[in-house]
Short mmCIF file of all heavy atoms in Angstrom, two decimals:
data_model
loop_
_atom_site.label_atom_id
_atom_site.label_comp_id
_atom_site.label_asym_id
_atom_site.label_seq_id
_atom_site.Cartn_x
_atom_site.Cartn_y
_atom_site.Cartn_z
N ALA O 12 106.75 130.99 84.22
CA ALA O 12 107.88 130.10 84.45
C ALA O 12 108.95 130.83 85.24
O ALA O 12 109.12 132.05 85.11
CB ALA O 12 108.45 129.59 83.13
N SER O 13 109.69 130.08 86.04
CA SER O 13 110.82 130.64 86.77
C SER O 13 112.05 130.65 85.86
O SER O 13 112.06 130.02 84.80
CB SER O 13 111.11 129.81 88.01
OG SER O 13 111.62 128.53 87.65
N ALA O 14 113.09 131.34 86.30
CA ALA O 14 114.34 131.35 85.52
C ALA O 14 114.92 129.95 85.42
O ALA O 14 115.48 129.58 84.38
CB ALA O 14 115.34 132.31 86.16
N HIS O 15 114.78 129.15 86.48
CA HIS O 15 115.26 127.77 86.42
C HIS O 15 114.45 126.96 85.40
O HIS O 15 115.03 126.18 84.63
CB HIS O 15 115.15 127.12 87.81
CG HIS O 15 116.27 127.47 88.72
ND1 HIS O 15 117.57 127.06 88.51
CD2 HIS O 15 116.30 128.22 89.86
CE1 HIS O 15 118.35 127.52 89.47
NE2 HIS O 15 117.61 128.23 90.30
N ASP O 16 113.14 127.16 85.37
CA ASP O 16 112.30 126.46 84.39
C ASP O 16 112.75 126.79 82.96
O ASP O 16 112.85 125.91 82.10
CB ASP O 16 110.83 126.84 84.56
CG ASP O 16 110.25 126.38 85.88
OD1 ASP O 16 110.75 125.39 86.44
OD2 ASP O 16 109.29 127.03 86.36
N ILE O 17 112.97 128.06 82.73
CA ILE O 17 113.36 128.52 81.39
C ILE O 17 114.72 127.94 81.01
O ILE O 17 114.93 127.48 79.87
CB ILE O 17 113.38 130.06 81.33
CG1 ILE O 17 111.98 130.62 81.60
CG2 ILE O 17 113.90 130.54 79.98
CD1 ILE O 17 111.96 132.12 81.84
N THR O 18 115.66 127.95 81.95
CA THR O 18 117.00 127.40 81.69
C THR O 18 116.91 125.94 81.30
O THR O 18 117.53 125.49 80.32
CB THR O 18 117.90 127.56 82.93
OG1 THR O 18 117.97 128.95 83.29
CG2 THR O 18 119.30 127.04 82.65
N ASN O 19 116.15 125.17 82.06
CA ASN O 19 116.03 123.74 81.79
C ASN O 19 115.36 123.46 80.46
O ASN O 19 115.62 122.43 79.82
CB ASN O 19 115.27 123.05 82.92
CG ASN O 19 116.05 123.05 84.22
OD1 ASN O 19 117.28 123.09 84.21
ND2 ASN O 19 115.35 123.03 85.34
N GLN O 20 114.50 124.37 80.02
CA GLN O 20 113.82 124.20 78.74
C GLN O 20 114.71 124.62 77.57
O GLN O 20 114.89 123.87 76.60
CB GLN O 20 112.53 125.02 78.73
CG GLN O 20 111.74 124.97 77.44
CD GLN O 20 110.94 123.70 77.30
OE1 GLN O 20 110.82 122.92 78.23
NE2 GLN O 20 110.40 123.47 76.11
N VAL O 21 115.28 125.80 77.65
CA VAL O 21 116.02 126.37 76.53
C VAL O 21 117.42 125.76 76.40
O VAL O 21 117.94 125.59 75.30
CB VAL O 21 116.11 127.91 76.67
CG1 VAL O 21 116.99 128.51 75.58
CG2 VAL O 21 114.71 128.51 76.62
N TYR O 22 118.03 125.42 77.54
CA TYR O 22 119.39 124.90 77.53
C TYR O 22 119.44 123.44 77.95
O TYR O 22 120.42 122.99 78.56
CB TYR O 22 120.28 125.75 78.44
CG TYR O 22 120.53 127.15 77.93
CD1 TYR O 22 119.80 128.23 78.42
CD2 TYR O 22 121.48 127.39 76.94
CE1 TYR O 22 120.02 129.52 77.94
CE2 TYR O 22 121.71 128.67 76.45
CZ TYR O 22 120.97 129.73 76.97
OH TYR O 22 121.20 131.00 76.49
N ALA O 23 118.41 122.68 77.61
CA ALA O 23 118.36 121.26 77.99
C ALA O 23 119.52 120.48 77.39
O ALA O 23 119.91 119.43 77.93
CB ALA O 23 117.02 120.66 77.54
N HIS O 24 120.09 120.96 76.30
CA HIS O 24 121.17 120.25 75.63
C HIS O 24 122.52 120.47 76.30
O HIS O 24 123.50 119.78 75.96
CB HIS O 24 121.27 120.71 74.18
CG HIS O 24 121.56 122.18 74.04
ND1 HIS O 24 120.60 123.16 74.32
CD2 HIS O 24 122.69 122.85 73.67
CE1 HIS O 24 121.13 124.35 74.10
NE2 HIS O 24 122.39 124.19 73.73
N LYS O 25 122.61 121.41 77.24
CA LYS O 25 123.88 121.72 77.87
C LYS O 25 124.25 120.66 78.91
O LYS O 25 123.38 120.16 79.62
CB LYS O 25 123.82 123.09 78.55
CG LYS O 25 123.66 124.27 77.61
CD LYS O 25 124.96 124.59 76.89
CE LYS O 25 124.85 125.88 76.08
NZ LYS O 25 126.08 126.16 75.32
N PRO O 26 125.54 120.33 79.04
CA PRO O 26 125.95 119.43 80.11
C PRO O 26 125.76 120.11 81.47
O PRO O 26 125.74 121.35 81.56
CB PRO O 26 127.44 119.18 79.82
CG PRO O 26 127.87 120.34 78.99
CD PRO O 26 126.67 120.75 78.19
N PRO O 27 125.61 119.33 82.53
CA PRO O 27 125.31 119.90 83.86
C PRO O 27 126.30 120.96 84.32
O PRO O 27 125.91 121.95 84.95
CB PRO O 27 125.34 118.67 84.78
CG PRO O 27 125.02 117.53 83.88
CD PRO O 27 125.61 117.86 82.55
N GLU O 28 127.59 120.79 83.97
CA GLU O 28 128.59 121.74 84.45
C GLU O 28 128.46 123.11 83.80
O GLU O 28 129.05 124.09 84.28
CB GLU O 28 130.01 121.20 84.22
CG GLU O 28 130.39 120.98 82.77
CD GLU O 28 130.06 119.59 82.26
OE1 GLU O 28 129.21 118.90 82.88
OE2 GLU O 28 130.63 119.20 81.22
N LEU O 29 127.68 123.23 82.72
CA LEU O 29 127.50 124.52 82.04
C LEU O 29 126.15 125.16 82.34
O LEU O 29 125.88 126.26 81.88
CB LEU O 29 127.65 124.34 80.53
CG LEU O 29 129.03 123.90 80.03
CD1 LEU O 29 129.05 123.80 78.52
CD2 LEU O 29 130.12 124.86 80.51
N LEU O 30 125.31 124.49 83.13
CA LEU O 30 123.98 125.03 83.38
C LEU O 30 124.00 126.26 84.27
O LEU O 30 123.11 127.10 84.21
CB LEU O 30 123.08 123.94 83.99
CG LEU O 30 122.62 122.86 83.01
CD1 LEU O 30 121.77 121.82 83.71
CD2 LEU O 30 121.85 123.48 81.84
N GLY O 31 125.03 126.38 85.12
CA GLY O 31 125.14 127.59 85.94
C GLY O 31 125.33 128.83 85.09
O GLY O 31 124.66 129.85 85.28
N ALA O 32 126.24 128.73 84.11
CA ALA O 32 126.45 129.85 83.19
C ALA O 32 125.21 130.10 82.34
O ALA O 32 124.86 131.25 82.05
CB ALA O 32 127.66 129.57 82.29
N ALA O 33 124.54 129.01 81.94
CA ALA O 33 123.31 129.16 81.16
C ALA O 33 122.23 129.88 81.97
O ALA O 33 121.50 130.73 81.44
CB ALA O 33 122.81 127.78 80.71
N PHE O 34 122.14 129.55 83.26
CA PHE O 34 121.16 130.20 84.12
C PHE O 34 121.43 131.71 84.21
O PHE O 34 120.50 132.53 84.11
CB PHE O 34 121.21 129.58 85.52
CG PHE O 34 120.31 130.24 86.52
CD1 PHE O 34 118.96 129.92 86.58
CD2 PHE O 34 120.81 131.18 87.42
CE1 PHE O 34 118.12 130.53 87.51
CE2 PHE O 34 119.98 131.79 88.35
CZ PHE O 34 118.64 131.46 88.39
N ILE O 35 122.69 132.07 84.37
CA ILE O 35 123.05 133.50 84.43
C ILE O 35 122.67 134.19 83.12
O ILE O 35 122.17 135.32 83.11
CB ILE O 35 124.55 133.66 84.73
CG1 ILE O 35 124.85 133.18 86.16
CG2 ILE O 35 125.00 135.11 84.55
CD1 ILE O 35 126.33 133.12 86.48
N GLN O 36 122.90 133.50 82.00
CA GLN O 36 122.54 134.10 80.72
C GLN O 36 121.03 134.25 80.57
O GLN O 36 120.55 135.24 79.99
CB GLN O 36 123.12 133.28 79.57
CG GLN O 36 123.24 134.04 78.27
CD GLN O 36 124.27 135.17 78.35
OE1 GLN O 36 125.24 135.19 77.63
NE2 GLN O 36 124.07 136.15 79.21
N VAL O 37 120.26 133.30 81.09
CA VAL O 37 118.81 133.43 81.07
C VAL O 37 118.37 134.66 81.86
O VAL O 37 117.46 135.39 81.43
CB VAL O 37 118.14 132.14 81.63
CG1 VAL O 37 116.68 132.40 81.99
CG2 VAL O 37 118.23 131.03 80.61
N ILE O 38 119.01 134.91 83.00
CA ILE O 38 118.69 136.12 83.77
C ILE O 38 118.92 137.36 82.92
O ILE O 38 118.11 138.31 82.92
CB ILE O 38 119.51 136.18 85.07
CG1 ILE O 38 119.18 135.00 85.99
CG2 ILE O 38 119.30 137.50 85.78
CD1 ILE O 38 117.73 134.96 86.43
#
């Protein structure tokens, strides 16, 4: 899985405006 795939799976509950920070945390 890519980092984007993982973010969308693990942080699916986050609102769109917080997904950027979630992506950085996945990295």
Side-chain angles (χ1 to χ4, degrees):
S13 69
H15 279 293
D16 295 333
I17 298 168
T18 303
N19 292 333
Q20 178 78 10
V21 175
Y22 291 100
H24 61 287
K25 294 285 187 183
E28 63 270 19
L29 295 181
L30 286 179
F34 176 82
I35 292 172
Q36 200 67 119
V37 164
I38 297 299

